[in-house]
Amino acid sequence: MASESAVCLAAAGLVMGLRDFCSWSEARLPYDGQDEVVTLLSVWGQGARELHAELAQYAPLVVQLEAELWAVLDDGFPGVWHYEVVEALGWAITDWIVTHDGTPPDRAWVTTSLVTLAGRFFRRAPQPTWPALRAVLLRYSPNLPADLLVA
């Protein structure tokens, strides 16, 4: 069972990815603003609380997958899961919402996106652990990209 703190940090990371999307994506879409300006919230068509809740609902999934993947490794790992996976997933969900006129992605798409980001992150793990890591990823989504299916 994931701690409340871990889930809260994952939810915050997802929202940080959303805010980074607004600041750094090619869309250059402000988070909010004047009524005549197109913003993320105007594309979303609901309030900020609802948008943050849309992303935060995936925090338990993120934490669960993270715990299962880290359990496979014997040692530490180079890289920062929070930045490279959690915030990147927040960015990806936000990009989906923007490119689909405010419609949120379905859970299967989010899960596949998370598994892909996690797989690319853990691809740098020691070679002997990769089959076990891949097995965890495949339990979450059978739709792994080809680069994650090879040894």
Side-chain angles (χ1 to χ4, degrees):
M1 179 95 171
S3 73
E4 285 182 16
S5 177
V7 172
C8 289
L9 287 171
L14 291 166
V15 172
M16 288 170 69
L18 172 152
R19 297 300 289 234
D20 284 349
F21 176 89
C22 291
S23 297
W24 304 107
S25 74
E26 291 180 13
R28 298 282 187 230
L29 190 64
Y31 178 76
D32 60 4
Q34 304 296 326
D35 289 338
E36 63 274 358
V37 176
V38 176
T39 66
L40 176 58
L41 289 179
S42 67
V43 171
W44 171 243
Q46 299 177 57
R49 186 174 193 280
E50 291 81 7
L51 180 57
H52 293 193
E54 176 63 33
L55 274 72
Q57 71 175 310
Y58 299 108
L61 174 67
V62 169
V63 172
Q64 180 182 337
L65 177 61
E66 176 188 18
E68 289 183 39
L69 290 168
W70 282 108
V72 171
L73 298 177
D74 293 329
D75 297 316
F77 186 75
V80 182
W81 170 268
H82 185 84
Y83 301 128
E84 297 179 53
V85 177
V86 182
E87 289 185 28
L89 181 62
W91 177 299
I93 294 169
T94 305
D95 184 58
W96 173 282
I97 290 168
V98 168
T99 58
H100 291 85
D101 299 320
T103 303
D106 63 30
R107 188 167 188 85
W109 183 89
V110 172
T111 301
T112 298
S113 297
L114 170 60
V115 166
T116 300
L117 289 165
R120 292 199 172 121
F121 178 82
F122 278 100
R123 190 76 170 127
R124 297 173 284 177
Q127 184 68 24
T129 62
W130 185 240
L133 291 167
R134 186 181 317 114
V136 171
L137 296 170
L138 285 168
R139 282 198 310 271
Y140 281 81
S141 177
N143 301 320
L144 285 179
D147 65 313
L148 299 179
L149 291 172
V150 296

